[in-house]
Amino acid sequence: MTFEELKALDEQYVMHSYSRFPVAIDHGKGATVWDTAGKEYIDFTSGIGVCSLGYGNEGWVSAITAQASKLGHISNLFYSEPYARLARELCTRAGMANVMFANSGAEGNEAMIKLARKYSFDKYGKGRGTVITLHNSFHGRTITTLSATGQDKFHNYFFPFTEGFRYADANDLDSVEAVAGHDVCAVMFELVQGEGGVLPLDKAFVQGVADLCAKRDWLLLIDEVQTGVGRTGSLFAFQQYDIQPDAISFAKGIAGGLPFGGVMANEKCRNVFTAGTHGTTFGGNPVAAAAACYVLDTVDQKLLDELKEKGAYLREQIEAMNLPCLGATRGLGMMIGIEVKGEHTNLELANRLIQNGLLCLTAGPGLRLLPPLVITKEEMDKGLAIMKAALS
Ligand SMILES: Cc1ncc(COP(=O)(O)O)c(C=O)c1O
């Protein structure tokens, strides 16, 4: 099928809730992908932070195919080994008590919000279901996670939205106190606001909120959907903030390209979900769980140390280019934001980079890079050379 034929099918049969770049990707290896006409691109996106081990990773493919030929699905009514192994690995490495599996980031957050509301209901009864989130945050596209998202542009069309969310300013503890009341059960935020523009939170603010949560018995909920699974240089970003949250959500990179997500909770919340209080048909699917076990085995300390260096290298090199359309970089590990300056928008710059063979993302008013964690120096240098030539 030519690109034009493929595009025509998409135009006719797909709901247009996305504006796509004019490229159809066919296959990939490492951090390099090829379109249907055979043109090569360096990938600084990982499918929006999902393909943590890049494309065509042989161990990942073997883990999936072995599990698929043994048992593709069985439901949550039965035990299965990949499920149990993954639960142990995740909880051990995150210092958490237990986990509930889902299929996406929004579902992980939805489960985390339900967990907080039920924790509070069980202990204090009705009337304490409000969750404080931050302005400029992003937590997903379900009606409830849109409510949790602290950006007005997401609070449109789909009325009525779920009640019980209040928004505070990032890095401003007074603002959190100002919206607090007797009805609060939790505070929820991303440690690096991803969709909002790659904005890392201050450690003092995060620790201040953690203290406030402990004092008032609010749950501290961290959305690690984008920051988790090594993306920021530790398995989860909270491990760089010297806090131990009550619950964290995860998704995106966990299964290296298969749909997966969930929420982990600490000892205090171990028994909040009881049989029948929450569930999902596909959550913990054995093939996706086997893929996730393989991803976690691969994301070891050595890989985490290396990716911190790679992230620092990319930022240094981009800043050293001194391009008139790009300003300062920011971020954590391999989650990188670049300020956009001058007359061109971030979308125009992204389009130009993609046309020239470098896949990249936008976030807030800037550019965003989320390369596969395993990207090589050679691939980074190719991508940087494309950036310099395309934007000079
Ligand atoms: C921080 C954060 N939370 C939640 C989500 C929603 O995840 P999903 O698209 O898998 O539902 C995203 C997606 O970009 C995200 O970045």
Side-chain angles (χ1 to χ4, degrees):
M1 205 182 285
T2 65
F3 174 71
E4 290 309 327
E5 287 165 342
L6 201 160
K7 190 175 164 199
L9 287 186
D10 195 285
E11 289 284 327
Q12 186 169 353
Y13 294 111
V14 177
M15 293 186 193
H16 294 131
S17 60
Y18 295 98
S19 36
R20 301 194 202 283
F21 293 110
V23 176
I25 300 298
D26 184 65
H27 63 283
K29 188 76 197 162
T32 307
V33 295
W34 287 267
D35 71 13
T36 43
K39 180 175 166 184
E40 180 185 297
Y41 300 79
I42 297 297
D43 177 34
F44 280 3
T45 74
S46 314
I48 323 187
V50 169
C51 305
S52 35
L53 305 185
Y55 304 90
N57 180 296
E58 282 164 21
W60 180 79
V61 173
S62 305
I64 289 170
T65 43
Q67 184 56 45
S69 52
K70 221 167 122 192
L71 184 74
H73 181 74
I74 188 59
S75 93
N76 281 299
L77 302 180
F78 301 95
Y79 296 98
S80 95
E81 193 181 315
Y83 197 106
R85 279 204 299 125
L86 177 61
R88 178 185 59 193
E89 186 67 15
L90 273 172
C91 292
T92 309
R93 289 178 66 179
M96 289 290 186
N98 56 10
V99 63
M100 156 109 209
F101 292 130
N103 313 287
S104 67
E107 278 184 74
N109 284 335
E110 188 91 21
M112 189 155 74
I113 293 160
K114 285 177 81 174
L115 183 95
R117 287 186 170 176
K118 186 163 183 301
Y119 168 84
S120 190
F121 180 88
D122 290 348
K123 202 162 167 185
Y124 302 100
K126 274 189 179 166
R128 199 173 177 276
T130 297
V131 178
I132 299 175
T133 66
L134 298 182
H135 287 128
N136 200 43
S137 56
F138 183 78
H139 297 297
R141 297 280 191 160
T142 61
I143 297 277
T144 296
T145 54
L146 281 175
S147 281
T149 292
Q151 299 185 54
D152 281 345
K153 69 177 180 189
F154 288 105
H155 302 154
N156 262 314
Y157 318 123
F158 309 112
F159 305 100
F161 285 94
T162 310
E163 289 174 9
F165 293 92
R166 236 174 265 144
Y167 315 107
D169 293 332
N171 298 326
D172 181 350
L173 203 54
D174 292 341
S175 157
V176 177
E177 298 249 33
V179 297
H182 294 299
D183 57 348
V184 170
C185 65
V187 184
M188 168 172 169
F189 50 81
E190 307 148 85
L191 289 165
V192 182
Q193 293 188 327
E195 303 298 314
V198 192
L199 304 162
L201 296 192
D202 295 344
K203 200 166 177 178
F205 168 75
V206 171
Q207 293 185 340
V209 175
D211 289 344
L212 205 56
C213 286
K215 245 183 251 157
R216 308 219 180 149
D217 199 17
W218 300 340
L219 295 192
L220 177 62
L221 312 178
I222 304 295
D223 178 344
E224 292 262 13
V225 168
Q226 194 161 150
T227 51
V229 198
R231 175 57 54 194
T232 65
S234 46
L235 189 62
F236 291 101
F238 81 79
Q239 293 164 321
Q240 295 178 57
Y241 278 82
D242 297 323
I243 53 164
Q244 187 65 35
D246 294 301
I248 65 172
S249 58
F250 57 91
K252 286 197 182 282
I254 181 71
L258 295 188
F260 209 76
V263 60
M264 276 186 265
N266 70 358
E267 208 49 59
K268 185 158 102 172
C269 302
R270 171 185 280 283
N271 298 316
V272 170
F273 283 145
T274 49
T277 50
H278 193 45
T280 159
T281 300
F282 286 109
N285 167 272
V287 177
C293 286
Y294 183 79
V295 169
L296 286 182
D297 285 349
T298 309
V299 180
D300 56 12
Q301 196 54 49
K302 180 168 169 286
L303 186 137
L304 293 170
D305 292 342
E306 283 168 5
L307 79 88
K308 271 193 257 184
E309 283 168 27
K310 290 182 206 175
Y313 177 73
L314 283 173
R315 288 180 59 181
E316 254 167 52
Q317 295 294 311
I318 291 166
E319 296 206 350
M321 285 178 204
N322 249 324
L323 297 171
C325 58
L326 299 185
T329 65
R330 56 177 176 262
L332 210 56
M334 291 268 263
M335 185 169 177
I336 299 171
I338 314 172
E339 188 196 338
V340 164
K341 297 190 309 192
E343 82 240 43
H344 294 291
T345 65
N346 56 354
L347 199 58
E348 286 167 342
L349 298 187
N351 261 302
R352 188 174 311 173
L353 289 170
I354 292 168
Q355 270 166 26
N356 282 275
L358 176 63
L359 303 189
C360 71
L361 298 161
T362 59
L367 290 175
R368 175 176 42 152
L369 311 181
L370 301 172
L373 307 181
V374 296
I375 191 168
T376 62
K377 166 98 175 18
E378 194 193 346
E379 287 169 322
M380 288 193 290
D381 285 340
K382 262 193 191 175
L384 290 165
I386 295 170
M387 186 180 279
K388 191 168 182 181
L391 302 185
S392 281

